[in-house]
Amino acid sequence: MRERALVLGGGGVTGVAWEIGLLHGLAERGVDLTGADLVLGSSAGSIVGASVAAGRPLDVMYQGQLEAPAPESESAPAVAASLGVAVIARMIWVTVTSRDPARARARIGKMALAADTESEADQRRVIAARLPAEWPDRPLQVTAVDAGTGELTVFDAASGVPLVDAVGASCAVPGVWPPVTIGERRFIDGGIRSPANADLAKGYGQVVIVAPIIRGMSRQGGVRWQAAALAAAGARVAVIGPDAAATAAIGRNVLDPARRAPAARAGYAQASSVVEQVAAVWQAQDAGPKSVPPG
């Protein structure tokens, strides 16, 4: 069994901030997750994961979340986007009424392809401003969903796809941002399959899942269901989702940049209450019995 995997889930602009705050707070308390043997990112988690794998200092990343973006900033638009309740409800309905998960995701992909959004070029500039220029040397995997087939795709440095396009695809929220064209295919948010796609960490002995969103649109996509499966396969697993204070700080619109700083501070504060839980998994010295502690 391989060693340690850090799984970073999706959760919008506020999810990025909360994850960075939590990671920074944990590192300051002696549990640094940035030394993972694999960083696996979905949606917002792909942005954080790319920076972590590239070795960006957590304190610098954290301070960046506390600073208010200038109105003209390409990396953090001043006007909040929003994923409407009707769109969310329709995606959930498509998922729960379909017997074939990939087909359901393809139906969501069709919705995304038909949506009126900004151009791919404009969104690519926004994503590029947040990322390292190239794939990091350390193992990083980024998830996305093929808008045509509904199949999951995992990009890494060996995929031949530029990092900005892989992350852009992973963050292409249906109905909000445009699907990303890679070759002859178009891709949407990796979080459509699962908020964290934690099942891809199978084979790693120590897995910490940091997920702003815990529940999936299907049972199998839920973070706790996937974590339980990893534990059953022999891994030590910790699942960390936002606590009550973080949930309040994040607010109802996870795409609102005005909530970045509160979400980052809440993640930083939450680290003090979960550090022992995370350390028990991350710093374990043996393969012993496995469990999934509450997050």
Side-chain angles (χ1 to χ4, degrees), residues 178-295:
V180 171
T181 303
I182 299 176
E184 297 182 354
R185 302 162 67 189
R186 301 191 73 187
F187 293 89
I188 58 174
D189 197 317
I192 295 301
R193 176 182 180 266
S194 163
N197 293 294
D199 55 319
L200 299 179
K202 185 176 181 179
Y204 285 83
Q206 295 152 259
V207 182
V208 172
I209 305 168
V210 178
I213 298 172
I214 297 293
R215 296 184 64 180
M217 289 189 287
S218 67
R219 179 171 176 267
Q220 291 79 4
V223 173
R224 296 200 188 284
W225 191 92
Q226 293 182 347
L230 291 173
R236 291 181 180 271
V237 185
V239 177
I240 308 299
D243 60 12
T247 298
I250 287 168
R252 294 186 177 183
N253 182 9
V254 300
L255 302 179
D256 185 357
R259 307 303 301 174
R260 288 192 320 163
R265 292 190 182 98
Y268 181 83
Q270 186 179 348
S272 64
S273 65
V274 300
V275 62
E276 292 184 3
Q277 175 189 346
V278 175
V281 168
W282 205 248
Q283 298 173 349
Q285 298 300 312
D286 60 78
K290 316 302 187 298
S291 64
V292 183

Side-chain angles (χ1 to χ4, degrees), residues 38-223:
L38 170 69
V39 177
L40 172 64
S42 295
S43 198
S46 70
I47 293 176
V48 179
S51 294
V52 165
R56 285 186 173 176
L58 288 174
D59 59 343
V60 174
M61 293 169 62
Y62 180 65
Q63 288 303 316
Q65 295 301 308
L66 301 183
E67 297 170 359
E72 69 278 7
S73 171
E74 290 183 335
S75 64
V79 179
S82 179
L83 183 58
V85 174
V87 175
I88 295 173
R90 186 176 178 187
M91 289 194 293
I92 293 173
W93 182 85
V94 166
T95 301
V96 300
T97 58
S98 177
R99 294 182 180 180
D100 182 345
R103 186 173 180 180
R105 293 191 293 268
R107 291 171 65 187
I108 294 172
K110 186 176 181 180
M111 293 164 48
L113 292 168
D116 182 17
T117 65
E118 65 180 276
S119 71
E120 281 191 60
D122 286 344
Q123 181 62 7
R124 193 177 195 272
R125 283 191 290 271
V126 171
I127 296 295
R130 304 178 183 182
L131 298 177
E134 305 290 342
W135 284 92
D137 293 333
R138 291 173 50 207
L140 169 67
Q141 294 182 356
V142 173
T143 68
V145 169
D146 187 311
T149 67
E151 296 296 334
L152 177 71
T153 297
V154 180
F155 298 108
D156 60 16
S159 65
V161 174
L163 178 63
V164 63
D165 293 325
V167 172
S170 190
C171 294
V173 181
V176 178
W177 292 305
V180 171
T181 303
I182 299 176
E184 297 182 354
R185 302 162 67 189
R186 301 191 73 187
F187 293 89
I188 58 174
D189 197 317
I192 295 301
R193 176 182 180 266
S194 163
N197 293 294
D199 55 319
L200 299 179
K202 185 176 181 179
Y204 285 83
Q206 295 152 259
V207 182
V208 172
I209 305 168
V210 178
I213 298 172
I214 297 293
R215 296 184 64 180
M217 289 189 287
S218 67
R219 179 171 176 267
Q220 291 79 4
V223 173

Side-chain angles (χ1 to χ4, degrees), residues 18 21-22 24-26 28-29 62 263-272:
W18 174 79
L22 184 76
H24 179 44
L26 288 171
E28 284 202 340
R29 292 165 176 81
Y62 180 65
R265 292 190 182 98
Y268 181 83
Q270 186 179 348
S272 64

